[in-house]
Each structure stands twice: as C-alpha cells, then as structure tokens.
Amino acid sequence: MYCYLPFRRLSNEMSPEIAQAVADSAADLTDPGGQLDIVWHGGEPLALGQRKFTALLAPFEQLRHAGRIQHSVQTNATLIDDEWCDLLARYQVRVGVSIDGPAALNTRRVDLRGRPAFDRIVRGIRRLRDHGIRFSVIAVVGTEGIEQPESLLDFLADLGPHTIGLNVEEMEGVNDQRCGIAQDQAERFWQRVLNWRRTHDGGPALRELDRLADYLYLARSGQRDEWCRYGLDPIPTVSVDGDVVLMSPELAGISDDAYGDFLAGNVRSQSISSMLAQAHRLRYVREFMTGLSRCQAECEFFDFCRGAQACNRYFENGSFATTETDYCRLTRQALITALHTSTKKEIAA
Ligand code: SF4
C-alpha cells in the first residue's frame, strides 16, 4: 500500500447506506446526456472483497444503466483474480493501476507487512489482460525515475495499458517531504518523454501529453472556451462515513487549527449539490478561489494550467491562497518549457 491518505492502515469500510446516499446525490448532479465518474480509491478499494464491493455498486445500477455514471477504481492490482475481473467487467469499471515502474523503481509500493508488492501487481495486470479488461497505469516519478524516462516508459508500455499517467512526486497528505526534484531536471524529463512519444507511435496514450495536445488543438482552432470548461472541478470526495471534502481528495481525514476539518457536509444529511451550492462559505474554498485569481493575474502558464491542485498549495505553502507549488513547477510549467525547448531545437536542426 502506498497512498497519500492518513489513517490508510485502518480498515474502515463504507456501508451500503452511505453508498445509497452518494448515489442519490449523483442522481442530482448528473444532467441527462452527462456522465459522472465515480472513482473508488483511497487505501486499496479491492481489499473490501467482492461481496461488499458489489453491495456498494448496487445503489448506482439504475444510473449506470442509464449511462449517467461510470465507475472507476484506482488499485494496486495485487488482489485482482479471475473473480475480480468478472466483477469489473460486469459493472464496466474503468481500472487504473498504480505502479511506479520496474521492480527497482517500485520499492516503495509494499503491503501492510512491508513486503514488496511488485510481483503481485504485475500478476494482477496479467490477469486483467487475460480477461481483455482495458486499464491505465499511473506511476509516481521520484528522484530515480526522473533520470530514466525511456526505461520507465518502455516498461510501463510493455504492461499493455491504454494510457500512462506520470505523477512527478509531490508533497501532499502523509507524503510531507519535499520531493528533491529540481525544475530543470523535470524539464529534461519531459523533453525526453516528448522524444519517447515521437518514436513510439501507436503505443499507449500519455495522459500529460494528451492534455497538452488537447490544449494546443483547442487554442489553435479558436475553441479556448472549451478548454476553460475543464478548469475547475470541485472533486467532492466522500469518506467511508459519508463526510465530504471538496477540491482535493487528499484533504479527507485531515484537520488543522486554521481550516478545521475541511468538511463540506455529510451525505447522510445533505446532498452533494447543496454542499456545492454553499461551498463559498468554506474558508479553504474561498482562499483557493483567491489563489486561482492570483494565478490568472500573475502566471504566464495559466492559460494551459488553469491553476488547479488545491492540496499542493496547502501542503507545500500552508495556504490555499498561494500560487506556485512544486507540483505546478514540475508538472505544468516544466512540461510547457520542455515543449518550447524541443520545438526550438527541431526548428534549428
Ligand atoms: S503554473 Fe502554478 S502558478 Fe501558474 S497557473 Fe498553474 S498553479 Fe498557478
């Protein structure tokens, strides 16, 4: 287990009643024609077991059959067996697997007893492939991976995902140490990722590059409004007992003197849509909006970035009203400057 949430070693379980309340809220939140993504994550969601997990999915069935919601699960894949594959296929659950690369880069992904999870992750992925279940992978890129993007990407691509997501290591939740990756290191990393992409046509999609390509396409074709639509997502996150935090899942289970417990409400007594309608009353949401306004006014990368990532502002800077973070420097700014440098080199060649 390798996770940003506090208390992740506790085995609290969501009850079907909470799931029902979330489903009721989801019905409010989806427009006909729109689809809501219900993401099951935090700790290892498959540890719940198939019977209990099925009981949590049941309240959403009407909405799923109407095409108004789609389930996703973020898992380390170690528990995936034939029965899980059947369940995931039956409920059309999108699967994201967390794996940081080959065994040498994956040493921090361990089970609760501290045993390396690598072999079991790969075995679970093989099982998904045997069942023809599409999956994506998300890798946390640390100080070692940042220096070897080609071997990292070769390994991840060989696993057979449809998409690779690269999370340059950041400071959030229980991961409260600065990552030690410099911005110029990240820029070189993204340049090499761009080069890898150029020489690997037909391979899996790279999430970060696809996002950049979408932005460039919309900006060039005069559809910037479409891009701005992606901007702010309140990301309501429901904990096992129905408590809801906004803006960032990493705020679940955290409290401090300045912001209290970050709670927007509880689904047992209030719908998520009414929590969103009253979100402006929460200090951290108001501060985050101030931070976004400052990003828009001050940052040359805002047009692409849209100033997201509330949790990084809080965990790194201690306030949501701030702007720059390691996350945005290493993932948003370094990606843009890498593209700029690569393009200049190409033109000069
Ligand atoms: S790159 Fe950083 S400072 Fe710039 S808009 Fe994004 S979050 Fe704000």
Side-chain angles (χ1 to χ4, degrees):
M1 190 175 295
Y2 173 55
C3 173
Y4 50 81
L5 293 175
F7 318 125
R8 64 201 190 283
R9 286 169 181 268
L10 298 180
S11 59
N12 294 331
E13 295 174 359
M14 182 177 279
S15 68
E17 290 70 34
I18 297 292
Q20 180 65 62
V22 178
D24 294 342
S25 273
D28 276 356
L29 289 168
T30 57
D31 303 320
Q35 193 178 60
L36 204 63
D37 206 12
I38 308 288
V39 185
W40 300 88
H41 67 120
E44 173 48 55
L46 303 194
L48 199 58
Q50 290 145 28
R51 188 177 55 78
K52 289 179 179 172
F53 197 69
T54 303
L56 298 187
L57 298 180
F60 296 90
E61 277 302 85
Q62 207 177 342
L63 290 171
R64 185 175 72 83
H65 287 298
R68 293 172 62 189
I69 65 117
Q70 157 80 53
H71 293 292
S72 303
V73 67
Q74 190 61 36
T75 174
N76 65 17
T78 58
L79 297 172
I80 289 182
D81 57 13
D82 292 336
E83 286 73 32
W84 269 114
C85 288
D86 289 343
L87 187 157
L88 296 169
R90 193 161 63 249
Y91 289 89
Q92 300 174 307
V93 180
R94 287 186 192 148
V95 181
V97 177
S98 306
I99 180 167
D100 295 340
L105 295 180
N106 207 71
T107 50
R108 282 181 300 171
R109 294 202 185 269
V110 295
D111 63 18
L112 288 177
R113 290 193 211 150
R115 297 173 304 180
F118 179 78
D119 289 345
R120 281 169 290 154
I121 297 173
V122 173
R123 195 174 57 213
I125 288 175
R126 223 174 277 136
R127 204 59 67 93
L128 290 170
R129 292 183 66 166
D130 290 346
H131 283 257
I133 295 176
R134 278 165 51 87
F135 63 95
S136 60
V137 293
I138 294 181
V140 175
V141 181
T143 48
E144 289 178 64
I146 204 91
E147 296 297 343
Q148 40 189 302
E150 296 84 5
S151 51
L152 171 63
L153 287 167
D154 285 344
F155 172 82
L156 295 173
D158 280 349
L159 294 173
H162 62 80
T163 302
I164 295 172
L166 297 169
N167 288 348
V168 177
E169 190 164 18
E170 53 195 280
M171 184 170 122
E172 59 182 25
V174 293
N175 185 17
D176 60 358
Q177 300 298 312
R178 294 244 169 207
C179 64
I181 295 172
Q183 193 162 349
D184 60 339
Q185 254 184 312
E187 185 181 325
R188 283 194 299 276
F189 170 79
W190 289 117
Q191 278 182 37
R192 289 165 68 180
V193 171
L194 285 160
N195 287 339
W196 185 91
R197 171 78 288 165
R198 288 188 187 107
T199 53
H200 289 75
D201 261 357
L206 295 182
R207 184 187 59 187
E208 286 68 27
L209 301 196
D210 278 8
R211 184 176 186 275
L212 179 54
D214 286 349
Y215 164 70
L216 293 172
Y217 169 76
L218 291 171
R220 279 185 191 146
S221 58
Q223 302 178 71
R224 278 191 64 258
D225 289 353
E226 273 295 296
W227 180 252
C228 298
R229 202 169 55 79
Y230 292 122
L232 187 60
D233 183 345
I235 322 174
T237 300
V238 186
S239 61
V240 289
D241 55 5
D243 282 342
V244 176
V245 296
L246 302 177
M247 311 313 300
S248 177
E250 291 82 357
L251 299 176
I254 285 180
S255 65
D256 82 6
D257 292 343
Y259 297 104
D261 53 17
F262 299 98
L263 295 186
N266 188 293
V267 290
R268 283 177 300 196
S269 55
Q270 195 179 356
S271 71
I272 293 176
S273 55
S274 79
M275 293 179 212
L276 294 176
Q278 295 168 22
H280 59 281
R281 296 186 184 169
L282 294 166
R283 174 178 166 183
Y284 71 97
V285 174
R286 284 199 308 275
E287 285 191 7
F288 181 59
M289 299 312 289
T290 301
L292 284 189
S293 299
R294 288 187 54 203
C295 278
Q296 186 164 14
E298 297 166 15
C299 179
E300 60 180 322
F301 300 93
F302 180 80
D303 203 46
F304 165 63
C305 170
R306 312 310 298 172
Q309 299 299 324
C311 65
N312 297 84
R313 297 168 199 245
Y314 170 66
F315 290 116
E316 288 185 32
N317 305 332
S319 163
F320 294 87
T322 58
T323 55
E324 279 202 350
T325 63
D326 277 350
Y327 170 82
C328 80
R329 279 187 286 266
L330 303 182
T331 301
R332 300 281 167 92
Q333 299 183 13
L335 177 58
I336 291 283
T337 52
L339 178 67
H340 184 234
T341 307
S342 292
T343 309
K344 271 204 317 198
K345 277 185 189 163
E346 262 178 39
I347 291 169

